Amino acid sequence: MPHDLPKAYDPTAIEDRWAEYWVNEKLFAQPTPTFTDQDSHQDAKPFTILLPPPNVTGRLHMGHMLNQAEMDILTRWRRMSGRRALWLPGTDHAGIATQMMVERQLTEEGTSRQKLGREAFTERVWEWKRHYGGAILDQMKRLGASVDWQREYFTMDERLSVAVREAFVRLHEQGLIYRGAYIVNWCPRCQTAISDLEVVYDEHKGHLWEIRYPVLDAAGNDSGEFLTVATTRPETMLGDVAVAIHPKDERYLHLHGKKLRLPLMDREIPIILDEWVSREFGTGAVKVTPAHDPNDFALGERHHLPSINVMDDTAHINAEGGTYAGLDRYVARKKIVHDLEQQGLLGAVKDYTNNVGHCDRCKTVVEPRLSTQWFIKIQPLAEKAIAAVKPDADGKKIIKFTPEMYEKTYLNWMENIHDWCISRQLWWGHRIPAWHCSTCHKTTVARQDPTVCTHCGSVDITQETDVLDTWFSSGLLPVSVFGWPNITADNRADFDAFYPTSLLVTGFDILFFWVARMIMMGCWFAGEVPMPDGSARPLSESVPYREVYIHALVRDANREKMSKTKGNVIDPIEIVKQYGTDAVRFTLASMASPGTDIAFNVARTEGYRAFANKIWNAARFLFMNVDRAAEIGITVERSALGGMPQADADAPLEARWIVAELHSTAAKVNVALENYRYDDAANSIYQFFWGSFCDWYLEIVKLRLDFSETADKASTKAALTTLVSVFEAALRLLSPFMPFLTEELWHAIYDEKPPAKSIALTRYPSAAEAKVDEAALAAMELLKSLVVEVRALRKEIGVEEKATTPIELRIAAELGKVVQQNHALVERLARVSEIRSVGQISADVSKHNTPEFEVGVVYERTIDVRAERQRLTKEIAKHEQVISNADRQLNNPGFISKAPSHVIEGLKKQQESAKQLLDKAREDLNSLPE
Ligand SMILES: [Zn+2]
Ligand SMILES: [Zn+2]
């Protein structure tokens, strides 16, 4: 038997090899299952999980690592538990991020996307994608993610693009897509609208400028009175169309119905009354700029005011801004403030800190700005998406959130949702399939590119230049990856088998971006697909997934959020290089539970590498014994491996016990994983392997493995069989958490002739099979406790390492029997020569007390009285020295007045303990025989 494991565990040596093997052997490919009638019920549905597609520009960070470790653990566990399992990977084309990346390259080359033109630019992005796009998935491969690489997708793939186009056209046909002017968050750098969710707010120290607007008299001349407004963005005043006040504001009752002169622009604007205005804020008068503020936009709609957009796409003032046209927004701001001051119209200028929105991608300050965009009328989609999550009258839910609190967050958002702006002014993405007609000015939306306007037949049509929001396509993924919209009688096996998926594991940050959009679009479009029997699809079968698990954040060891500016970002790839993937996965798992952030501490990873090393060494011990046994003709039957090990009632206690521990651990781990308690699962396995198996069982079983001439071969074989079969089962239990180490050792156990291609394709020790022998557990607990106490006593009274001693044991008869039956075990583990059952421990014997027993170690030390007297005398002198030194310092006023209080306290404590030790030493000296 070779079993030639290298001496030291070296994760890098084994992980690359297995990662490559899993991919090459297509081990985790999940072909489309064909259902027979018997297994078409829910239990037989595959476990299906979509990888939240990373951006094609992405690099793996700790958040991905946690997300993927959690998904991989669950997928491996479900697969090993007998379910078909499909984990489906892919990447997102990530409109803004990817376009920015390539634009940056073009800038370095001294050119730009505008110079290239749309077609050449798009081709350039594809080229970039072909070269660099797969990096993050390559990292996943190296980390051993058990995904089906045969099904890998990219959101711009032809078949997924067909789905995107169909969804747009269908929504348009259903009257749910419209084009309109609306205030959007505009990024002047990216020159596109961005979603509310893509705006990050930072505190910004700015100013609040007060501007005095002259009130006009009946003849339209300045009346000499002013109405003062306050603003943080004075340049927007160029687009003001009114000033609003609260109708009941006593200060301004006399101004009702009057008009103002807009300074700098010399435009007459009305004073309007609206209850939305807060009388308490600022001066209680609000300038209204519908084209540059969402609240003002709403005000403008209510009062039928015009909207004057004063900025262009790059946030420069446009022709609507009069003499300020052409100036950058901040240059214009300075000039406007200056001009107002010159004209005596500038009021107070106050320091003001407010939250300013920045583009999440490029950090440019976002400009709320009116523009023409495409929208989805979201209400009917949102209604279904609410029904899919809201508990029904019986408290039943179709989609279950873990942690449960996210259900409320989701519902609250969905109940207050606004129409979704789906257009982006980018070149990279799915171009909106709409054609504008220059003849009749109507729009044609079509599945096939049209050559003429469907309204008037004109050939003078041009395609919309906007692309769709990236989340429009990723929101469709659960339906589109399984073949929608082409679900036909002979092309629906994937859809029927895998939809709805089982679970989504993702971070909170994309709850609204992605989770909510998938639910809306899944319920809407899958809802239109009939069930296999032709009946209408109920909502419960339309949802994209049945459960959502929102994972926590990985923070640094001090619980600080990782950030580039703080410089505390941990690169998972670096940590993996140092400690191995298995140790990093185990670190994350050991701290992952619903709703709890993870404080990632490298010291812990080091600890789990030591754990892996401990298991490695256990395997080496095991193989050494297997090989020695083979020399005398003892082998472990292969049939003993692969299942749930059992122990006969008459087997030795340690065999019954370790089997019971394994069963109990398996039961705990299965329950924990069922409830996303990765931490409980990982810690149970850890305790089993390190505590029960390595620290106790291996020590005991050593005593049974007798390979001598006179050995009882049957007993040795039984012990060896338990050892190997328990270890093999424990590897399977650990496998989802440490897939590489367990794969390596499992193949070694089978001597490279394993019953399956991978441990990942074997059966997980299940809770159902667990039959815990409680009596064995209790008996072993008693013996372990006895051994621990005896070892502690021996240490206390200074028994030499190799000496054996008798013990005195006071214990109830029933428990005493257990000890006597297993006396050999106690004797070997605690170096006991004899166990004396007593009614009372002898007076001169050192003893320990526990609730179950009292134990004493009988040990008479033969000592050299003269040497001991010398030692004690020296010790006494030392203590006296310490005490007198302390006395001298404490009585020195100079010292006392200068020394910090903790130094004085420390000195007093030192003196106190020296006094105690002195007393004890004197007592010992006095008790020495003459
Ligand atoms: Zn930007
Ligand atoms: Zn037309």
Side-chain angles (χ1 to χ4, degrees):
M1 282 197 180
H3 291 143
D4 49 354
L5 286 186
K7 240 186 186 153
Y9 162 64
D10 175 10
T12 47
I14 61 177
E15 292 185 354
D16 283 336
R17 178 158 43 83
W18 288 118
E20 210 185 308
Y21 172 81
W22 295 334
V23 173
N24 290 345
E25 294 290 316
K26 303 183 177 60
L27 274 196
F28 306 116
Q30 177 55 65
T32 307
T34 46
F35 287 109
T36 64
D37 283 337
Q38 290 121 306
D39 71 355
S40 63
H41 61 81
Q42 198 49 50
D43 289 351
K45 266 222 119 155
F47 175 78
T48 309
I49 184 165
L50 290 192
L51 172 77
N55 285 352
V56 67
T57 51
R59 286 290 183 279
L60 198 92
H61 57 60
M62 218 45 173
H64 292 127
M65 181 95 194
L66 172 68
N67 178 251
Q68 293 174 9
E70 290 187 337
M71 278 186 276
D72 198 37
I73 289 168
L74 290 182
T75 308
R76 284 174 181 270
W77 168 58
R78 293 286 189 194
R79 185 185 291 117
M80 290 179 75
S81 301
R83 292 266 293 272
R84 295 183 184 92
L86 170 61
W87 182 11
L88 209 148
T91 44
D92 194 292
H93 67 279
I96 297 187
T98 313
Q99 178 157 330
M100 253 182 73
M101 171 99 76
V102 176
E103 279 190 81
R104 223 178 279 142
Q105 284 186 347
L106 292 179
T107 309
E108 278 166 26
E109 295 166 20
T111 177
S112 70
R113 96 181 134 102
Q114 285 83 0
K115 279 183 203 156
L116 282 185
R118 185 161 189 151
E119 212 166 298
F121 176 75
T122 309
E123 186 38 49
R124 178 70 193 251
V125 183
W126 275 111
E127 197 187 301
W128 180 92
K129 192 256 168 190
R130 280 190 290 272
H131 276 99
Y132 309 105
I136 193 160
L137 296 188
D138 287 342
Q139 289 177 318
M140 272 185 85
K141 283 178 186 159
R142 165 59 187 81
L143 298 178
S146 70
V147 306
D148 181 351
W149 293 111
Q150 268 51 55
R151 291 177 184 265
E152 181 188 331
Y153 64 80
F154 177 54
T155 48
M156 294 269 282
D157 283 347
E158 179 58 31
R159 69 188 176 101
L160 297 189
S161 300
V162 165
V164 168
R165 185 147 180 181
E166 174 65 26
F168 183 89
V169 175
R170 212 180 275 192
L171 287 170
H172 188 262
E173 285 170 352
Q174 291 164 342
L176 296 176
I177 283 193
Y178 65 93
R179 195 165 176 243
Y182 196 74
I183 289 281
V184 292
N185 303 296
W186 184 268
C187 173
R189 211 296 320 169
C190 300
Q191 292 182 37
T192 177
I194 55 176
S195 126
D196 286 349
L197 302 164
E198 288 161 327
V199 178
V200 283
Y201 288 91
D202 279 337
E203 268 206 352
H204 175 82
K205 285 202 177 90
H207 296 98
L208 194 62
W209 286 274
E210 289 188 357
I211 308 173
R212 292 150 30 106
Y213 286 22
V215 178
L216 299 178
D217 61 19
N221 299 315
D222 287 11
S223 65
E225 191 184 353
F226 297 92
L227 181 56
T228 303
V229 300
T231 179
T232 55
R233 294 188 294 154
E235 64 281 9
T236 62
M237 71 174 289
L238 303 174
D240 281 3
V241 295
V243 170
I245 54 175
H246 193 280
K248 292 196 183 122
D249 194 332
E250 307 257 324
R251 291 169 293 181
Y252 301 131
L253 289 175
H254 67 288
L255 293 179
H256 290 193
K258 297 227 164 141
K259 291 195 164 168
L260 303 167
R261 179 168 63 82
L262 177 63
L264 310 180
M265 297 303 287
D266 281 332
R267 186 158 70 223
E268 252 184 43
I269 56 171
I271 293 171
I272 60 168
L273 310 177
D274 198 289
E275 302 210 325
W276 170 82
V277 178
S278 155
R279 276 169 280 187
E280 289 74 37
F281 183 76
T283 59
V286 179
K287 64 194 256 333
V288 181
T289 327
H292 291 281
D293 182 278
N295 291 316
D296 293 12
F297 182 75
L299 266 174
E301 295 268 282
R302 278 204 293 281
H303 295 270
H304 308 289
L305 297 168
S307 296
I308 303 173
N309 187 346
V310 299
M311 284 185 213
D312 66 12
D313 290 357
T314 59
H316 284 67
I317 305 297
N318 63 20
E320 296 283 0
T323 57
Y324 301 95
L327 297 181
D328 169 81
R329 55 183 164 171
Y330 298 121
V331 177
R333 177 180 295 181
K334 265 194 192 144
K335 189 158 190 309
I336 285 167
V337 170
H338 175 262
D339 292 352
L340 288 170
E341 195 171 15
Q342 292 287 306
Q343 297 178 21
L345 296 175
L346 188 66
V349 180
K350 295 171 181 163
D351 286 340
Y352 188 74
T353 303
N354 64 339
N355 281 321
V356 174
H358 293 75
C359 171
D360 192 23
R361 292 285 159 209
C362 73
K363 312 302 172 208
T364 303
V365 174
V366 163
E367 194 66 38
R369 176 172 179 268
L370 193 68
S371 68
T372 301
Q373 302 287 344
W374 293 83
F375 293 87
I376 294 183
K377 266 187 207 155
I378 210 72
Q379 266 324 314
L381 281 76
E383 267 167 37
K384 281 178 186 253
I386 289 168
V389 173
K390 209 173 201 159
D392 68 8
D394 303 328
K396 268 204 207 137
K397 301 164 191 173
I398 299 176
I399 298 177
K400 183 183 147 212
F401 276 82
T402 303
E404 207 182 352
M405 61 167 182
Y406 288 114
E407 177 188 305
K408 212 175 252 169
T409 316
Y410 165 91
L411 285 173
N412 185 43
W413 187 78
M414 199 58 92
E415 280 159 0
N416 294 292
I417 195 167
H418 297 293
D419 283 357
W420 173 14
C421 172
I422 48 170
S423 46
R424 295 291 182 268
Q425 289 65 48
L426 302 172
W427 285 356
W428 176 241
H430 296 102
R431 193 163 173 181
I432 290 179
W435 282 258
H436 304 296
C437 174
S438 328
T439 310
C440 72
H441 301 292
K442 288 185 178 163
T443 302
T444 302
V445 169
R447 286 181 179 81
Q448 301 298 327
D449 291 7
T451 48
V452 295
C453 169
T454 51
H455 305 283
C456 73
S458 165
V459 293
D460 205 359
I461 55 170
T462 45
Q463 189 175 0
E464 168 64 58
T465 51
D466 290 358
V467 298
L468 287 164
D469 178 9
T470 307
W471 302 102
F472 186 92
S473 47
S474 50
L476 283 170
L477 283 174
V479 289
S480 60
V481 291
F482 297 122
W484 186 89
N486 299 311
I487 309 291
T488 58
D490 42 350
N491 181 36
R492 57 176 301 157
D494 265 351
F495 193 83
D496 289 341
F498 300 116
Y499 196 91
T501 67
S502 313
L503 170 69
L504 177 75
V505 178
T506 190
F508 168 76
D509 53 336
I510 52 174
L511 178 61
F512 307 133
F513 272 130
W514 192 49
V515 181
R517 312 251 194 250
M518 281 192 285
I519 297 178
M520 285 193 283
M521 294 174 100
C523 292
W524 194 258
F525 292 112
E528 295 174 345
V529 178
M531 297 295 288
D533 64 3
S535 61
R537 184 171 293 263
L539 187 61
S540 59
E541 295 298 316
S542 307
V543 292
Y545 27 73
R546 304 196 181 279
E547 289 197 38
V548 179
Y549 177 72
I550 303 282
H551 64 68
L553 222 58
V554 185
R555 296 171 178 273
D556 75 2
N558 303 316
R559 302 209 156 270
E560 296 269 346
K561 215 169 161 172
M562 291 189 198
S563 86
K564 275 189 197 139
T565 28
K566 272 188 244 158
N568 62 346
V569 176
I570 302 171
D571 178 358
I573 299 295
E574 282 307 308
I575 301 291
V576 160
K577 268 187 203 153
Q578 251 179 301
Y579 301 103
T581 309
D582 282 336
V584 179
R585 284 170 67 114
F586 208 86
T587 309
L588 292 167
S590 72
M591 290 186 277
S593 73
T596 314
D597 283 350
I598 288 171
F600 193 93
N601 193 336
V602 175
R604 236 177 130 131
T605 312
E606 213 174 322
Y608 291 128
R609 191 192 187 286
F611 174 56
N613 193 51
K614 185 119 176 158
I615 296 171
W616 186 268
N617 288 338
R620 283 170 44 82
F621 167 81
L622 183 143
F623 294 145
M624 183 186 81
N625 283 288
V626 165
D627 293 347
R628 280 180 63 194
E631 285 165 19
I632 58 163
I634 298 174
T635 53
V636 173
E637 314 294 340
R638 276 173 80 105
S639 61
L641 307 180
M644 193 67 140
Q646 306 292 336
D648 294 339
D650 56 358
L653 177 64
E654 82 277 359
R656 287 169 52 214
W657 167 73
I658 197 66
V659 165
E661 282 284 345
L662 177 74
H663 284 219
S664 139
T665 306
K668 271 188 242 165
V669 170
N670 279 286
V671 170
L673 287 178
E674 205 69 70
N675 295 299
Y676 305 105
R677 293 302 304 260
Y678 300 93
D679 55 343
D680 285 352
N683 294 327
S684 298
I685 296 174
Y686 181 88
Q687 278 159 22
F688 172 81
F689 249 123
W690 193 297
S692 305
F693 190 84
C694 293
D695 282 356
W696 288 96
Y697 176 68
L698 288 186
E699 291 308 309
I700 301 168
V701 83
K702 261 180 205 171
L703 316 173
R704 295 271 178 216
L705 296 172
D706 184 352
F707 304 112
S708 62
E709 285 296 308
T710 56
D712 172 357
K713 281 194 177 180
S715 142
T716 301
K717 177 169 175 162
L720 193 68
T721 301
T722 305
L723 170 65
V724 179
S725 65
V726 168
F727 187 71
E728 190 270 350
L731 287 181
R732 282 182 280 128
L733 200 60
L734 176 64
S735 180
F737 299 85
M738 292 191 157
F740 294 101
L741 172 74
T742 53
E743 186 82 293
E744 177 80 8
L745 298 181
W746 182 81
H747 281 264
I749 284 183
Y750 285 99
D751 230 350
E752 310 302 330
K753 290 183 285 291
K757 276 187 165 180
S758 164
I759 187 172
L761 304 180
T762 63
R763 287 301 299 274
Y764 204 66
S766 84
E769 290 169 282
K771 291 186 287 292
V772 182
D773 181 344
E774 296 290 348
L777 289 184
M780 192 64 197
E781 273 321 300
L782 175 70
L783 299 179
K784 277 164 65 184
S785 155
L786 181 57
V787 169
V788 166
E789 296 303 337
V790 173
R791 283 175 179 169
L793 271 169
R794 286 169 56 95
K795 208 167 181 188
E796 274 170 36
I797 58 179
V799 178
E800 284 159 48
E801 184 74 22
K802 284 188 179 143
T804 58
T805 60
I807 57 171
E808 290 185 357
L809 184 63
R810 187 173 66 76
I811 191 167
E814 202 56 26
L815 298 180
K817 221 190 272 171
V818 173
V819 176
Q820 288 307 337
Q821 278 163 357
N822 297 283
H823 64 93
L825 188 153
V826 177
E827 287 162 9
R828 299 288 291 267
L829 292 182
R831 297 192 187 279
V832 167
S833 54
E834 183 195 354
I835 302 171
R836 298 176 190 156
S837 276
V838 296
Q840 201 175 352
I841 307 287
S842 311
D844 55 348
V845 166
S846 303
K847 60 192 177 181
H848 272 187
N849 221 335
T850 76
E852 286 90 20
F853 57 82
E854 192 175 15
V855 64
V857 170
V858 183
Y859 182 58
E860 288 189 18
R861 218 162 24 145
T862 47
I863 48 173
D864 178 340
V865 176
R866 259 183 55 169
E868 187 68 359
R869 191 181 304 277
Q870 270 176 7
R871 186 183 72 80
L872 286 169
T873 312
K874 257 190 208 160
E875 201 181 311
I876 287 166
K878 190 181 82 192
H879 296 319
E880 284 170 344
Q881 184 72 44
V882 171
I883 294 164
S884 72
N885 279 350
D887 263 340
R888 203 171 45 248
Q889 281 181 295
L890 292 171
N891 292 326
N892 175 355
F895 173 80
I896 291 292
S897 64
K898 277 188 210 137
S901 61
H902 73 268
V903 171
I904 297 173
E905 277 313 304
L907 205 56
K908 282 183 181 164
K909 265 195 192 141
Q910 198 185 15
Q911 190 181 38
E912 190 48 45
S913 75
K915 277 178 183 165
Q916 281 175 18
L917 291 170
L918 178 65
D919 288 347
K920 178 81 173 59
R922 279 182 179 149
E923 202 180 292
D924 289 349
L925 185 65
N926 288 336
S927 65
L928 281 179
E930 287 304 319

